[in-house]
Structure formats: C-alpha cells, structure tokens
Amino acid sequence: MTETMIAVIGGSGLYEIDGLQGAEWTTVETPWGPPSDQILTGTLDGIKMAFLPRHGRGHVHSPTEVPYRANIDALKRIGATDVISVSACGSFREEMAPGHFVVVDQFIDRTVAREKSFFGTGCVAHVSVAHPTCPRLGDACETAARDAGITVHRGGTYLAMEGPQFSSMAESKLYREVWGCDVIGMTNMPEAKLAREAELCYASIAMVTDFDSWHPEHGSVDITAIIATLQGNSSNGAEMVRRLPALLGAERADCPHGCDRALDYAILTAPEKRDPAVLAKLDAVAGRVL
Ligand SMILES: CSC[C@H]1O[C@H](OP(=O)(O)O)[C@H](O)[C@@H]1O
Ligand SMILES: Nc1ncnc2[nH]cnc12
C-alpha cells in the first residue's frame, strides 16, 4: 500500500483551494525548469493534498507556455499519487450545458507547439495512452461532483487545441459533427500523456463554460461569457475537490488499471546505450524502473 496524495491541477478560474490544514506554498525545482507556480500543500480530512494553479496565480502562462513537464515532474517529485485536472471547456453537446461537469475519458490532441514527452534521445520510451484517464479516479470525481449537487456527465472526448485563439465555426463543426468530440479546451494535452509517462493516475474534469461556436442559438464563444460562468464553476470545482479525500482514502493499493505501472515494459533504449545525463533528469518520473 502507498500513502495517497491527491494533486489538483487548477485551470482557468481556479487558482487556490481553501480549507487545507497546514497549508503552505512550496517552491519545487525540477530538471525541466520551474513549474507554473509554487505548489500549495496540506491535508484535507487527514489526507495529503497538493494544489498547482496551471496558469500560475494571476494567470500568467498561456496554454502553449504552461510548463507541462515541470508541473507533472514536480507533482511526482513531492509524492503525488493521483492527479485531478480541473479545466474550463467549451461544449459540443446540447446536453452538456454551461455549469455542467464532464468526466473526460478520451482526448484528441491537436496541439502542435509543446514538448510532449519526458523521454527522447538517450532514453526512448513508448507508453500506451489508449485509455488516458484512470476510471478509479473518474468514479471518485463523478461521485464527489454528484454529492456536491453538480450535474455531471460520465465520459466524453476532449479536443485539445493549441489556442490561444478560440476555434473558427468551421473547426467547431468539424470537431463536433465529424470527429464526435464532446468538449474542447487548450490544456489537457500533453498533460495527460505526461501524467501517464510519470505513472500517475490522472482524471480530467471539464467544467463547461460555453457552447464554443457551433450552436445556432448561442453564437460564438466569447471570453466575457466564459468569465461570467467561471466563478460558479470554480466554486463547484472546489466543492468537488473537498469530497475527494473521503472517497479515495489515505492508503492506496496498486492502480487496478495499471496507471502506476505504465513504464514496466516501455523503455526501449538498451541499458548500455542510455545517456546518464538523460537518466538523471528522469529521476522522479521514471526512477522506479531505472
Ligand atoms: C478561460 S478561456 C480559455 C482557457 O481556459 C481553459 O484553461 P484550463 O484548461 O487551464 O482551465 C482553456 O484550456 C484555455 O486555456
Ligand atoms: N470554447 C472553448 N474553446 C477552447 N477552450 C476553452 N475554454 C473554455 N471554453 C473554451
């Protein structure tokens, strides 16, 4: 058994969480540079918690410039076992309305300008992201959100776009009608891929703020409408998070879906060909298998 540490990555509108006991902002250094901000650590119901604002307090990093590798490395380095991503998203479904939460389970990655792996020349690895989110964590988030009185949809495909501009109407219709996506945002990729490489269980909660630009009656997505919805979504997100420790418990067994063993057979580079400098950078992420 391993001691649970629940890490929450807070997206747009969620820059802090209240109610942690022994709350302290801590600076964490990583071989991939500084994370988005300091990490707030503490306990909730006796269970270790960490909170990292994805864009930094005051929203300083654009979706392209979020230091995704440093963020995931930093969470792994401080002992996080379970990562909950909480994000603002547009919706492609009439029934997934602003204010609703979606427990995302699939992604289409359309991002093009981001570092997407901890591995590369000197230590090559290929993990599976066929099922990029952890159903055990998804169950906990779904229950926590329902208990908090939030309308929650289980399962959805998240289109990760580069941004920072929103989609054109033609793109919006393509993602919805042809590709069958349910929600859209700018940040869950490569975050989810990196969490898998770091053997962290990862769940993504999409907090719907708008109907993007496909909806005949809602016009085009616009930031003022998003901001108006963000505040209520963020306090609901915090309510959901408050319920997670009681659902996940202080001790965790191995993940039944294997998230925490993703690197078991993933590294292809022969031991004698591995670059010691690259291995040194992988100490937190892949130390278990190196
Ligand atoms: C608030 S408008 C667009 C912005 O919001 C989302 O951020 P996050 O995923 O961190 O909640 C979206 O991905 C964009 O970055
Ligand atoms: N419509 C949208 N597209 C991309 N990211 C978003 N974040 C919130 N709404 C969004």
Side-chain angles (χ1 to χ4, degrees):
M1 299 288 266
T2 314
E3 188 175 5
T4 303
M5 184 196 281
I6 305 168
V8 176
I9 302 181
S12 298
L14 191 59
Y15 307 105
E16 197 148 357
I17 47 172
D18 296 329
L20 293 194
Q21 293 198 310
E24 198 177 349
W25 287 96
T26 313
T27 302
V28 182
E29 288 175 11
T30 87
W32 315 95
S36 294
D37 201 335
Q38 292 182 302
I39 298 179
L40 183 67
T41 57
T43 61
L44 205 53
D45 297 338
I47 290 171
K48 286 188 184 171
M49 300 286 297
F51 176 83
L52 175 60
R54 179 183 285 124
H55 301 275
R57 282 167 288 178
H59 207 111
V60 291
H61 305 292
S62 79
T64 299
E65 286 149 349
V66 167
Y68 295 98
R69 291 192 297 187
N71 287 353
I72 295 296
D73 178 293
L75 294 176
K76 179 84 182 184
R77 200 168 283 282
I78 64 169
T81 52
D82 299 282
V83 176
I84 314 287
S85 154
V86 182
S87 300
C89 288
S91 166
F92 294 127
R93 302 284 155 222
E94 196 84 60
E95 65 278 16
M96 296 177 178
H100 294 192
F101 283 15
V102 182
V103 181
V104 170
D105 59 358
Q106 282 294 331
F107 298 98
I108 292 180
D109 186 0
R110 287 249 307 156
T111 65
V112 292
R114 305 169 188 195
E115 295 290 350
K116 297 197 183 190
S117 178
F118 290 108
F119 297 93
T121 303
C123 189
V124 175
H126 302 277
V127 298
S128 170
V129 287
H131 301 285
T133 59
C134 178
R136 183 185 61 91
L137 276 192
D139 288 345
C141 291
E142 180 185 2
T143 304
R146 276 197 212 294
D147 290 351
I150 300 160
T151 303
V152 55
H153 304 268
R154 184 65 193 263
T157 298
Y158 174 118
L159 187 295
M161 61 179 293
E162 186 61 52
Q165 303 85 358
F166 294 112
S167 306
S168 68
M169 187 171 70
E171 288 167 333
S172 195
K173 288 184 172 177
L174 171 77
Y175 302 152
R176 166 187 149 78
E177 292 166 20
V178 186
W179 292 6
C181 299
D182 299 296
V183 292
I184 182 164
M186 304 180 190
T187 60
N188 278 201
M189 283 290 167
E191 193 174 86
K193 288 175 174 166
L194 294 167
R196 176 58 51 81
E197 286 190 344
E199 302 191 315
L200 290 165
C201 292
Y202 181 88
S204 165
I205 305 305
M207 306 188 302
V208 176
T209 52
D210 57 272
F211 282 112
D212 203 47
S213 296
W214 61 273
H215 200 295
E217 278 136 46
H218 289 278
S220 312
V221 53
D222 108 68
I223 192 70
T224 47
I226 290 182
I227 288 167
T229 313
L230 268 184
Q231 209 170 358
N233 279 359
S234 299
S235 61
N236 278 343
E239 277 300 318
M240 180 195 78
V241 166
R242 269 192 270 287
R243 288 169 163 79
L244 288 173
L247 291 163
L248 289 171
E251 300 262 313
R252 69 196 284 287
D254 290 347
C255 172
H257 308 284
C259 305
D260 49 9
R261 298 179 300 285
L263 291 175
D264 268 358
Y265 306 103
I267 298 179
L268 286 193
T269 308
E272 70 279 10
K273 297 281 186 182
R274 294 178 190 170
D275 177 344
V278 174
L279 299 188
K281 287 179 82 173
L282 291 167
D283 63 337
V285 162
R288 187 185 74 82
V289 291
L290 290 175

